[in-house]
Amino acid sequence: MPLKIDVLTLFPRMLDSVLAESILGKGIAAGHLGVSVHDLRAWTTDKHRTADDRPFGGGAGMVMKPEPAIAAIEAVQTPGCRRIYLTPDGTPLSPALAEELSRQQHLVLLSGHYEGIDQRIRDTVIDQEISIGDYVLTNGTLAAAVLIDALARFIPGVLGEEKSLTHESFTSKLLDFPQYTRPAEYRGMSVPEVLLSGNHAEIEKWRHARQVEKTRLVRPDLLK
Ligand SMILES: C[S@@+](CC[C@H](N)C(=O)[O-])C[C@H]1O[C@@H](n2cnc3c(N)ncnc32)[C@H](O)[C@@H]1O
C-alpha cells in the first residue's frame, strides 16, 4: 500500500503546484504516494467559518481554535496513523526522520497559523511535532510541503535513479561535492581536469576531498 498523507491547512491552494510539479508530482501521478489536502474551515460550524480566536491571558495575535482542528483530525485519522503538527518548537527534521516517516502507512499533517494552535489540540490528537528549521514561517503549509518533499525521496520509485540518494548532502555526514556539466569551458571557466579524465578512482578521491573541504567550511558541526 502506498503511503497516504492528509494535510490539514487553512490555505490548501498553497500546495497546488507543489504537489503537481517535478519529481513529487510525478511520484504522486505514478501512485508511489497519495496526498489529500483539506481546508480546515470545512470543519468550522459558525456562519463566519471562524478558525481562530484571541489568546486567553492576553498577548498579540490569534490562536487556532481547538474544535475545527480536532474534528478534522478525527475525520481523517485511521488506526495506527501518525498525526503530526508542524511547529518551530518541534523535533528538527532530519534525513533519518524523513526516511522513517516515508515507511509509515498514513500521515496526518496539521499546519498552524497566527500565533499557533490551542494547546489542547497538541495534547489530544497529535503524536509528533516537527520543525523544518530554526526560523518562523507565517503558517505551516510550506513546512508540510517541505516534509512531504523530503520524505518522498525515500519512497522507492519516486527518484527515477535510486542511486542518486546515496550521493547527497548529509547521507555520509558530509555536504555534497560540486557538480559540473557541459560545456567544459564557459566564459573562461574550465571544469576541473580530473572530472574529464575518466579515472573513476581519482574522481571519487577528488569529490571526497571537496566534500570534506566544504563541510569543514560551512558545517563544521557535522564533522564532530
Ligand atoms: C507564526 S507561526 C507560530 C509560531 C509560534 N508562536 C512559536 O513561536 O512557536 C504559525 C505556524 O507556522 C508553522 N511554522 C512556523 N515556523 C515553522 C517551522 N520552522 N517549522 C514548522 N512549522 C512552522 C506552525 O504550524 C505554526 O503554527
Side-chain angles (χ1 to χ4, degrees):
M1 278 277 282
L3 170 63
K4 171 178 157 57
I5 303 176
D6 284 289
V7 185
L8 303 167
T9 169
L10 289 168
F11 308 99
R13 281 179 302 155
M14 283 180 75
L15 292 174
D16 285 353
S17 61
V18 173
L19 299 175
E21 301 281 341
S22 184
I23 292 173
L24 188 54
K26 286 193 191 121
I28 292 170
H32 296 304
L33 72 162
V35 185
S36 307
V37 184
H38 309 271
D39 186 345
L40 273 168
R41 285 193 205 277
W43 283 274
T44 55
T45 48
D46 63 315
K47 70 171 185 217
H48 300 294
R49 307 183 86 203
T50 312
D52 63 305
D53 210 331
R54 290 189 307 275
F56 279 127
M62 302 290 264
V63 174
M64 271 173 56
K65 289 164 66 58
E67 308 95 310
I70 290 178
I73 290 179
E74 286 175 349
V76 300
Q77 68 188 1
T78 53
C81 73
R82 183 88 60 92
R83 301 164 300 180
I84 296 168
Y85 172 47
L86 282 309
T87 176
D89 59 2
T91 304
L93 180 60
S94 64
L97 179 51
E99 204 265 330
E100 194 256 323
L101 293 172
S102 76
R103 288 187 272 105
Q104 300 302 309
Q105 296 203 320
H106 183 197
L107 303 176
V108 176
L109 308 183
L110 176 64
S111 157
H113 184 44
Y114 315 111
E115 284 307 308
I117 66 175
D118 188 288
Q119 181 62 34
R120 290 165 292 184
I121 304 170
R122 302 168 81 156
D123 291 344
T124 55
V125 292
I126 294 298
D127 304 307
Q128 190 168 26
E129 302 186 334
I130 296 178
S131 162
I132 63 158
D134 289 348
Y135 40 80
V136 180
L137 306 168
T138 55
N139 79 82
T141 315
L142 290 176
V146 167
L147 178 60
I148 294 169
D149 194 89
L151 69 84
R153 303 177 72 257
F154 291 99
I155 298 173
V158 168
L159 294 183
E161 224 183 323
E162 302 297 337
K163 72 176 162 59
S164 46
L165 262 179
T166 61
H167 275 293
E168 295 284 10
S169 292
F170 307 115
T171 39
S172 55
K173 288 265 174 200
L174 290 174
L175 300 181
D176 206 1
F177 47 78
Q179 300 277 11
Y180 294 89
T181 185
R182 271 179 278 272
E185 183 85 28
Y186 175 68
R187 293 192 175 178
M189 295 177 282
S190 309
V191 170
E193 201 66 45
V194 62
L195 298 179
L196 310 174
S197 69
N199 183 334
H200 293 293
E202 281 304 309
I203 292 172
E204 282 301 307
K205 222 164 88 186
W206 180 87
R207 284 178 165 171
H208 186 257
R210 299 291 78 73
Q211 287 188 278
V212 174
E213 195 175 79
K214 174 99 190 206
T215 310
R216 190 165 289 143
L217 192 70
V218 180
R219 291 291 304 275
D221 55 301
L222 292 175
L223 294 172
K224 283 189 191 130

